[in-house]
Amino acid sequence: MARGVYIHIPFCHQICNYCDFNKVFFKNQPVDEYIEAIGKELSLIQKQQPEVFNHIETIYLGGGTPTALSASQITRLLEIIQSQIPTSELVEFASEANPDELTVDKLIALKNGGVNRISLGVQSFDQTLLKKLGRTHSNEHVYETIENARHVGFNNINIDLMYGLPGQTMEQWEDTLEKALALNLPHYSAYSLIVEPKTVFYIQYAKGKLNLPTEDLEAEMYDILMKKMELHDLKQYEISNFAKDGHISTHNKIYWDNDEYVGIGAGAHGYIQNIRYSNIGPIRKYLDTILNGERPILHEHEVTIEEKCEEQMFLGLRKNEGVSFEAFEKKFGISMLDKYKGIIDQLVAEELLIADKWGIRLSRKGRFVGNEIFQQFLLGD
């Protein structure tokens, strides 16, 4: 049964140099038509799977940039969502936002429409690095937006930060962390840069023109991140996420728990009734498919039991709590130790995993090489 709904808003006023998500420039796009199509897609899913929205805990507006929409467009989008999905018992209703786009009228529209969590794409407090990333906001935008959000009534605010950026020094990273933590927010996310295909950074990298920090420097940046978050009473509950008590990201935890969620919008991905699916990406083709009364699915894949086990391991190990022996066996009818004992024993011997009676989790040492550890569980029994 689906626990969450992800809704993709693919419009941006500025395309960032590192972003590989499905997105287009806002200008001259059929934005209003797209918003109405979101409602039609929700309706089509309900007709095919009437119970799919019965136990929804979270809704997440992602992109692109949801706050590229005007206040009136945001209001209309949220009206459509509330008309299709029961929202009275939601644990979390979140929206991504850019600091230089989230005006007071948009904040009010989000708040009135039921949104209770804002995630700001800050990335850095260094203007030189922001320019390299293709970001258009200033530090003043960040401070003003957070102040306005609090004034409107938002107390669950996250900011995203990035490290391992081209030309980034340790001094720049520590300065960004100090400025971020001075805001005293309940949640912070911090990600190392991944150079993805079909991005400006990828083209620069292929030409040898992207000056990335060394692996050792990036590891030092991650180490400093964990230490500073701990000093500010922010508990690390996932490799890249830190929160004060009661403020973990419920929606993202659905992904790490390997539970099901509905994906809505052009290029969105979903996981319903053992089927992982992806939607058509090009906006005009997405809209035409919806207008024809068809769900805009590009690809579907029925997840095998083997794939489910693998996903449970590499997603669950992202969480600090790790993966429970009991929960694994209850979910799949298979003992985790019977299936992965050799891999687990080896990783424990290398002090990359910690195993106890409850289950397994990454050690602090293991957090630095998480992707290498996750890969071990994709190599078969």
Side-chain angles (χ1 to χ4, degrees):
M1 188 65 67
R3 290 178 56 201
V5 179
Y6 172 82
I7 298 176
H8 191 72
I9 307 300
F11 308 111
C12 294
H13 291 295
Q14 175 68 28
I15 304 296
C16 298
N17 294 336
Y18 55 88
C19 179
D20 70 330
F21 294 116
N22 188 47
K23 75 281 182 184
V24 294
F25 281 110
F26 187 92
K27 190 175 181 181
N28 298 323
Q29 293 295 332
V31 179
D32 294 326
E33 185 180 354
Y34 183 86
I35 291 170
E36 299 303 319
I38 292 292
K40 293 184 176 73
E41 186 182 356
L42 288 167
S43 179
L44 286 169
I45 289 177
Q46 279 191 326
K47 287 178 182 177
Q48 288 184 7
Q49 298 164 303
E51 298 180 356
V52 73
F53 296 129
N54 285 1
H55 302 282
I56 296 299
E57 299 172 32
T58 71
I59 300 174
Y60 191 97
L61 306 180
T65 317
T67 53
L69 306 181
S70 68
S72 61
Q73 288 169 334
I74 289 171
T75 296
R76 177 58 185 153
L77 173 64
L78 296 175
E79 286 173 350
I80 288 171
I81 292 170
Q82 290 191 334
S83 71
Q84 299 282 349
I85 304 172
T87 59
S88 60
E89 297 183 8
L90 286 179
V91 176
E92 182 180 285
F93 194 161
S95 178
E96 294 176 353
N98 279 342
D100 53 342
E101 294 176 354
L102 192 50
T103 55
V104 172
D105 59 340
K106 292 182 184 182
L107 280 164
I108 292 171
L110 290 167
K111 187 69 176 176
N112 289 344
V115 172
N116 59 17
R117 185 178 192 267
I118 299 292
S119 184
L120 293 173
V122 173
Q123 318 311 356
S124 176
F125 283 89
D126 185 282
Q127 291 301 133
T128 302
L129 291 175
L130 286 173
K131 187 174 181 181
K132 286 183 181 179
L133 292 171
R135 305 292 288 174
T136 56
H137 70 265
S138 67
N139 291 354
E140 288 68 32
H141 284 128
V142 176
Y143 301 141
E144 182 180 0
T145 298
I146 290 174
E147 182 180 352
N148 289 337
R150 284 169 166 160
H151 181 73
V152 168
F154 287 101
N155 54 30
N156 195 356
I157 302 171
N158 168 70
I159 60 173
D160 288 342
L161 303 173
M162 296 180 72
Y163 61 95
L165 302 176
Q168 187 180 31
T169 65
M170 180 62 81
E171 290 73 22
Q172 288 172 313
W173 177 230
E174 290 193 79
D175 181 68
T176 278
L177 287 174
E178 287 178 14
K179 287 183 169 64
L181 290 166
L183 294 168
N184 193 29
L185 299 174
H187 194 287
Y188 295 85
S189 300
Y191 305 97
S192 62
L193 174 69
I194 298 175
V195 180
E196 301 283 6
K198 300 180 182 179
T199 64
V200 172
F201 275 175
Y202 186 83
I203 295 169
Q204 293 175 352
Y205 180 78
K207 293 179 178 178
K209 295 182 178 181
L210 199 65
N211 179 28
L212 296 174
T214 64
E215 287 185 5
D216 286 345
L217 178 54
E218 187 173 315
E220 289 176 23
M221 289 177 173
Y222 185 51
D223 186 53
I224 288 291
L225 167 70
M226 290 190 289
K227 287 176 178 175
K228 286 190 177 292
M229 291 291 167
E230 186 175 3
L231 284 172
H232 285 77
D233 295 323
L234 288 146
K235 182 179 179 182
Q236 184 176 17
Y237 67 97
E238 190 266 349
I239 283 180
S240 301
N241 285 272
F242 307 81
K244 294 183 178 178
D245 288 345
H247 287 89
I248 68 169
S249 171
T250 308
H251 184 83
N252 285 338
K253 194 170 183 296
I254 290 171
Y255 301 146
W256 305 321
D257 288 342
N258 198 25
D259 286 337
E260 297 190 349
Y261 60 95
V262 182
I264 300 292
H269 293 249
Y271 181 30
I272 308 175
Q273 295 179 351
N274 296 326
I275 303 292
R276 289 198 181 274
Y277 67 91
S278 57
N279 276 355
I280 293 166
I283 291 174
R284 188 68 259 167
K285 189 172 182 182
Y286 167 84
L287 294 174
D288 289 344
T289 305
I290 294 283
L291 288 173
N292 286 334
E294 302 171 18
R295 283 187 62 187
I297 293 177
L298 176 67
H299 178 73
E300 289 183 307
H301 171 71
E302 185 171 359
V303 184
T304 67
I305 186 67
E306 181 68 26
E307 290 168 331
K308 288 180 184 179
C309 290
E310 291 174 353
E311 290 172 354
Q312 192 76 15
M313 299 306 293
F314 71 74
L315 291 170
L317 282 172
R318 292 191 62 90
K319 301 179 294 183
N320 273 33
E321 67 185 33
V323 184
S324 157
F325 292 135
E326 181 181 351
F328 187 94
E329 187 162 358
K330 183 177 179 181
K331 194 168 188 177
F332 305 115
I334 304 168
S335 164
M336 187 201 304
L337 285 177
D338 286 349
K339 188 168 183 60
Y340 295 116
K341 189 176 190 305
I343 297 171
I344 291 171
D345 286 348
Q346 180 62 36
L347 292 170
V348 169
E350 295 173 6
E351 299 182 340
L352 299 175
L353 280 186
I354 296 170
D356 54 26
K357 292 181 180 180
W358 182 85
I360 62 171
R361 61 189 182 278
L362 293 182
S363 66
R364 194 178 193 283
K365 178 181 175 182
R367 292 177 205 167
F368 290 89
V369 289
N371 287 337
E372 296 173 26
I373 294 171
F374 305 152
Q375 187 68 28
Q376 296 298 308
F377 294 96
L378 304 179
L379 300 178
D381 294 343

